[in-house]
Amino acid sequence: MSRRKTERLLNLVICLLATRRPLSAEQIRQAVPGYDRESDEAFQRMFERDKNELREIGIPIDVLRDPWEDEPGYRIERQAYELPEITLEPDEAAVLGLAAQVWQRASLAEAASGALLKLRAGGVQTEQALGGALELRVDTKDPAFPALWEAVRDRKVVRFDYRGSGSENVRTRTVEPWGVVSRRGRWYLAGFDRDRQAPRAFRLSRILGEVATLRGPSVSVPEGVDLRELVGFPDEPMEERTAVLLVRRGTCEGLRQVARAVHENADGWDRVELRFGDPERLAGWLASLGADVRVAEPPDARDAVIRRLKGALA
């Protein structure tokens, strides 16, 4: 099933669940993204197919007729749709919480909220709690995550610029993506590197610029491949270095506590030495401290902070 159709079906379910009264086909057409640009005939065919597909997978769409209206109305009764109460063990709840992280950068939450907004603007009352439940958010902080997650889902080959650990060298990599996984708080792409003709893992924080999706045959994931084992051995070792920071006096106490050395200056900025491995991860921390920190050296760490701040501004 294509991404566009998946989003349309999800939006249709949200629309029919959220409304407190049956909606006509025309109201649904105006509220659900994916319907509003179709001609009358194309919309009718698409709407009928979507209703049938949802019913086939067990989603009950009720057709209600109001004697005062010319057209029938549609809605999904919450009691018929919702699952019974589910009790989760602590480890099961933890897994669900982790799965929810990927939706921070997914476009479905935004599209779903847009559908509800259209309904409310049209005077249709909706359940307020439903929209918020769809927007569980834990940010990955890696700009490449959305494109790579979609490429894995759609089984598309990707191409991107990649900087090795502890190096200024940037190379273009063409990869058949197998999965995006997290290890020790960092996100990695696991897949087949066409340039090296071997499986490799790539840390998302080292990917520079845009991720391009290439046309061609769908990617095939080998049977039995262990993504976590692959990511457990990163493609390049990390080299620890020392960053020299200028920190505004009286601020950033947490940074000072883990610093290798702190030297007080008379100009109101203290010189702080901090050991680090990945400049992108260091940049994510320092950028969050705002104007209280400046990076004096090394240049790649300073550039990484600048990229983060420019990205936030954009």
Side-chain angles (χ1 to χ4, degrees):
M1 186 181 297
S2 68
R3 171 185 172 181
R4 181 178 301 177
K5 184 175 182 179
T6 301
E7 292 184 359
R8 187 179 72 245
L9 290 176
L10 177 59
N11 286 326
L12 177 58
V13 171
I14 294 168
C15 175
L16 297 181
L17 269 175
T19 182
R20 294 181 181 178
R21 61 180 177 83
L23 297 177
S24 67
E26 184 60 31
Q27 288 175 313
I28 294 172
R29 180 182 182 180
Q30 297 301 321
V32 176
Y35 288 147
D36 48 353
R37 296 183 180 180
E38 301 293 336
S39 65
D40 293 347
E41 185 177 351
F43 162 68
Q44 289 295 338
R45 290 197 306 267
M46 186 182 297
F47 183 44
E48 289 300 321
R49 286 197 304 267
D50 289 349
K51 285 189 299 179
N52 291 334
E53 288 195 25
L54 292 177
R55 285 168 175 154
E56 287 176 1
I57 61 176
I59 299 178
I61 299 179
D62 294 332
V63 182
L64 305 174
R65 294 189 177 275
D66 189 327
W68 302 102
E69 299 289 343
D70 295 331
E71 297 184 11
Y74 304 89
R75 67 168 300 181
I76 297 175
E77 290 290 343
R78 186 178 297 272
Q79 293 80 2
Y81 176 77
E82 290 180 339
L83 293 171
E85 182 178 353
I86 299 175
T87 302
L88 298 176
E89 297 296 329
D91 56 342
E92 295 172 327
V95 170
L96 289 179
L98 180 62
Q101 294 181 11
V102 302
W103 295 105
Q104 162 63 15
R105 292 184 176 274
S107 60
L108 296 181
E110 180 181 353
S113 296
L116 295 183
L117 185 60
K118 286 184 178 181
L119 285 175
R120 294 173 190 145
V124 178
Q125 291 184 326
T126 62
E127 298 290 345
Q128 297 286 340
L130 183 61
L134 292 169
E135 297 184 79
L136 299 172
R137 294 178 176 262
V138 178
D139 197 354
T140 65
K141 298 183 179 178
D142 292 310
F145 181 88
L148 293 176
W149 184 82
E150 292 177 4
V152 170
R153 181 197 62 194
D154 299 335
R155 297 189 175 185
K156 298 294 185 181
V157 178
V158 294
R159 180 173 292 157
F160 50 81
D161 292 334
Y162 188 74
R163 177 188 53 77
S165 174
S167 171
E168 292 295 324
N169 295 329
V170 177
R171 297 180 179 178
T172 300
R173 302 288 180 88
T174 303
V175 180
E176 299 176 12
W178 295 344
V180 181
V181 295
S182 177
R183 178 179 182 269
R184 296 182 180 178
R186 299 168 182 169
W187 287 89
Y188 294 84
L189 170 69
F192 184 79
D193 187 339
R194 288 186 174 180
D195 302 298
R196 295 185 177 183
Q197 286 295 299
R200 286 291 186 270
F202 303 89
R203 189 182 302 172
L204 267 60
S205 61
R206 297 181 192 159
I207 295 177
L208 308 178
E210 299 291 332
V211 175
T213 302
L214 307 185
R215 294 184 178 181
S218 298
V219 172
S220 177
V221 181
E223 291 188 12
V225 65
D226 189 337
L227 298 182
R228 293 195 173 276
E229 181 179 354
L230 181 59
V231 170
F233 301 93
D235 56 325
E236 297 172 358
M238 292 189 63
E239 175 188 350
E240 276 211 342
R241 293 177 288 160
T242 299
V244 178
L245 314 174
L246 299 178
V247 181
R248 194 188 305 273
R249 185 163 301 161
T251 66
C252 306
E253 186 60 32
L255 180 63
R256 295 171 185 270
Q257 290 180 0
V258 299
R260 184 178 183 183
V262 178
H263 307 281
E264 294 187 0
N265 290 338
D267 59 358
W269 292 85
D270 296 334
R271 183 182 177 89
V272 175
E273 297 179 6
L274 182 70
R275 298 291 290 173
F276 76 100
D278 181 7
E280 294 294 337
R281 188 175 187 186
L282 176 66
W285 182 19
L286 298 183
S288 68
L289 300 176
D292 292 327
V293 177
R294 301 174 183 173
V295 181
E297 55 183 78
D300 62 329
R302 181 174 58 248
D303 293 342
V305 173
I306 293 174
R307 284 196 300 272
R308 291 286 180 128
L309 295 175
K310 286 184 176 180
L313 178 61

